[in-house]
Amino acid sequence: MSRTARTASAAITVALALGVSACGGSGGDDVAADAKQTLTVWAMGAEGEKLAEVAEVYEKANPNVTVKVTPVGWDVAHQKLVSAAAAGTMPDVAQMGGSYMGEFAELGVLEPVDTKVFDKADFFPAGWNQGEVDGTAYGVPWYVDTRVLYYRTDLAKKAGVDKAPADWQEMQDLATAYQKKAGTKWGLSIQPSGLDTVQSFYPFLYSAGGTILDDDGKAAIDSPEAVKALKEYGTYFDKGLANKSVQPGYDVVKDFGNGRVPMFFGGPWHVTLLDEGQPQIKGKWAVAPVPADASSVSMAGGSSLVISKDSEHKAAATEFVTYLTDAEGQADWYERTKDLPANTAAWESGTLADDANLQVFKKQMDTAKSSPSTPTLTEITDKVDQAIAKVTQGKASAEDALKAAQSEIEALVK
């Protein structure tokens, strides 16, 4: 999902100005699940369009329930949710990304997940963690996302390498060989600066054992592990292996196809983009787990489904969320959208079990790490973005950049 620049504090200010209680409202008596009723559901981006199709199937099996799906663009999703929270008009069910969860949980507009209905053990740990705030689950994982390494196997062979890089040294060696022996313009595509640069940095940070906030919610971005990760990240720019002036909206798929960029960290949607948009390299690329330092750990993304605390249809909402997140519903959703299932049982048969590329994503999700669920997450990661940019542009050392970020983040998590 795309991260909004609007801060949590702005959402809280709006909500309080319009009289939303910090503990949330009361939806009154809940309507029975089998009573005639209408469920309101908001889903974002492409998911909003596809969910309407699933809702029609659900209605046929549950004729007393009408599911009214409203597609919402990611560019306006945050503002619409903030406005709805402030006005007490949240939909019964909403799709919510991990970067929103802490903020809306703090506003008190989300119903805690019924853990007697939804079992944490059924989902990838990182997927479940995205929906947790201060130990309470507010979101049921709907789909997950992570990053793995895409690399050109044909150009690697030309460079004298016949396997995927397994660790940092092998990845940098391959990046160098791509340039020197296979004639590529760059060795690896990673983001140098700008909004959400942190997402490109996460595979380095997490694989080194670093984190932005520790388990107690305290700033930890200046740890030795984080410094080591940023030094490694910066080396690609120092050595000219990565482009330090990438324009906003840059599409790595085209340059991967023409060979200018032989490696990048990408999500599951890149498989389809490459198959459909770069057919000339079919069979000439592969995916591999994130090269390891202390271990191989990538970022976890995706979305959860939340139920409004004010909803008078919690029972029906719970049944609809169950339908969308059990193994059968998840497998069906993958076939419709190619979103990776959050429910691990959905991976045990069919395409998800048989496709070697998809299994790499599953392996990566087993160790993936989610971002901290905190109301000030956007502001916190902005500070990390700025630190990364200082290093990639040669304006500060990793130690100094992260020391400055640590101080700024400490002020945001007090």
Side-chain angles (χ1 to χ4, degrees), residues 395-410:
K395 296 180 179 179
S397 66
E399 291 90 345
D400 288 346
L402 292 179
K403 182 178 180 181
Q406 174 78 6
S407 178
E408 294 170 327
I409 293 171
E410 285 175 346

Side-chain angles (χ1 to χ4, degrees), residues 275-297:
D275 286 344
E276 296 179 355
Q278 304 295 324
Q280 77 280 6
I281 59 169
K282 182 177 182 180
K284 299 179 180 179
W285 60 271
V287 296
V290 166
D293 179 47
S295 56
S296 171
V297 185

Side-chain angles (χ1 to χ4, degrees), residues 241-307:
L241 294 169
N243 187 355
K244 63 172 60 178
S245 59
V246 174
Q247 297 299 312
Y250 169 69
D251 180 13
V252 73
V253 170
K254 181 178 179 181
D255 278 350
F256 190 71
N258 63 32
R260 285 172 56 86
V261 169
M263 284 195 296
F264 70 97
F265 291 105
W269 64 89
H270 283 108
V271 173
T272 300
L273 290 176
L274 289 169
D275 286 344
E276 296 179 355
Q278 304 295 324
Q280 77 280 6
I281 59 169
K282 182 177 182 180
K284 299 179 180 179
W285 60 271
V287 296
V290 166
D293 179 47
S295 56
S296 171
V297 185
S298 191
M299 63 166 284
S303 283
S304 299
L305 294 169
V306 300
I307 295 174

Side-chain angles (χ1 to χ4, degrees), residues 36 70 106 123 140 152 155 173 223 229 237 280 289 294 313 321 361 371 403-404 407:
K36 192 167 183 64
T70 300
E106 184 170 276
F123 302 93
V140 181
R152 286 284 299 267
L155 296 176
D173 288 347
S223 69
F237 298 92
Q280 77 280 6
H313 307 278
V321 172
F361 283 96
S371 299
K403 182 178 180 181
S407 178

Side-chain angles (χ1 to χ4, degrees), residues 1 8 46 61 114 150 154 164 166 172 175 222 237 298 311 317 319 323 329 336 338 351 365 380 382 396 412:
M1 61 165 285
D114 185 345
Y150 284 73
D154 59 333
Q172 192 166 134
D222 67 345
F237 298 92
S298 191
S311 172
E319 290 198 357
Y323 177 81
R336 293 174 185 273
K338 303 309 177 188
T351 304
M365 272 304 306
I380 288 169
D382 280 345
L412 294 171

Side-chain angles (χ1 to χ4, degrees), residues 37-347:
Q37 60 196 293
T38 297
L39 274 181
T40 55
V41 182
W42 288 5
M44 289 53 172
E47 283 77 21
E49 302 295 336
K50 290 292 184 180
L51 186 57
E53 299 175 5
V54 177
E56 290 181 4
V57 176
Y58 185 79
E59 288 172 341
K60 290 178 181 177
N62 300 270
N64 288 334
V65 179
T66 299
V67 182
K68 183 181 178 182
V69 177
T70 300
V72 180
W74 276 117
D75 57 336
V76 297
H78 184 268
Q79 182 55 53
K80 284 183 69 70
L81 286 166
V82 167
S83 298
T89 57
M90 287 282 287
D92 297 306
V93 178
Q95 175 185 358
M96 187 165 287
S99 61
Y100 295 177
M101 198 66 68
E103 168 182 355
F104 286 89
E106 184 170 276
L107 283 172
V109 297
L110 306 181
E111 180 74 7
V113 170
D114 185 345
T115 53
K116 294 180 181 179
V117 177
F118 302 100
D119 188 348
K120 178 179 180 178
D122 290 338
F123 302 93
F124 286 110
W128 183 269
N129 291 343
Q130 282 189 102
E132 279 192 342
V133 181
D134 295 332
T136 298
Y138 292 96
V140 181
W142 188 18
Y143 64 87
V144 292
D145 168 30
T146 190
R147 304 292 186 271
V148 299
L149 184 71
Y150 284 73
Y151 72 106
R152 286 284 299 267
T153 53
D154 59 333
L155 296 176
K157 184 177 181 180
K158 186 176 180 180
V161 179
D162 60 2
K163 64 176 184 177
D167 57 35
W168 281 5
Q169 187 61 58
E170 289 184 3
M171 180 165 65
Q172 192 166 134
D173 288 347
L174 179 54
T176 303
Y178 273 134
Q179 277 190 327
K180 292 185 176 180
K181 298 180 181 180
T184 64
K185 175 66 175 176
W186 307 106
L188 173 70
S189 177
I190 46 178
Q191 191 170 331
S193 60
L195 184 66
D196 286 336
T197 301
V198 67
Q199 292 192 8
S200 194
F201 178 55
Y202 279 141
F204 292 83
L205 177 66
Y206 293 154
S207 291
T211 187
I212 297 176
L213 302 181
D214 64 20
D215 292 340
D216 295 324
K218 296 181 180 179
I221 195 59
D222 67 345
S223 69
E225 294 82 4
V227 170
K228 180 181 182 181
L230 188 50
K231 282 183 176 180
E232 181 70 15
Y233 194 89
T235 297
Y236 284 88
F237 298 92
D238 293 340
K239 294 184 175 181
L241 294 169
N243 187 355
K244 63 172 60 178
S245 59
V246 174
Q247 297 299 312
Y250 169 69
D251 180 13
V252 73
V253 170
K254 181 178 179 181
D255 278 350
F256 190 71
N258 63 32
R260 285 172 56 86
V261 169
M263 284 195 296
F264 70 97
F265 291 105
W269 64 89
H270 283 108
V271 173
T272 300
L273 290 176
L274 289 169
D275 286 344
E276 296 179 355
Q278 304 295 324
Q280 77 280 6
I281 59 169
K282 182 177 182 180
K284 299 179 180 179
W285 60 271
V287 296
V290 166
D293 179 47
S295 56
S296 171
V297 185
S298 191
M299 63 166 284
S303 283
S304 299
L305 294 169
V306 300
I307 295 174
S308 168
K309 195 174 187 70
D310 280 342
S311 172
E312 296 181 352
H313 307 278
K314 293 187 181 75
T318 297
E319 290 198 357
F320 185 57
V321 172
T322 299
Y323 177 81
L324 295 177
T325 60
D326 66 16
E328 185 177 350
Q330 292 268 279
D332 175 69
W333 187 244
Y334 171 76
E335 292 301 327
R336 293 174 185 273
T337 64
K338 303 309 177 188
D339 287 340
L340 300 182
N343 190 314
T344 56
W347 292 80

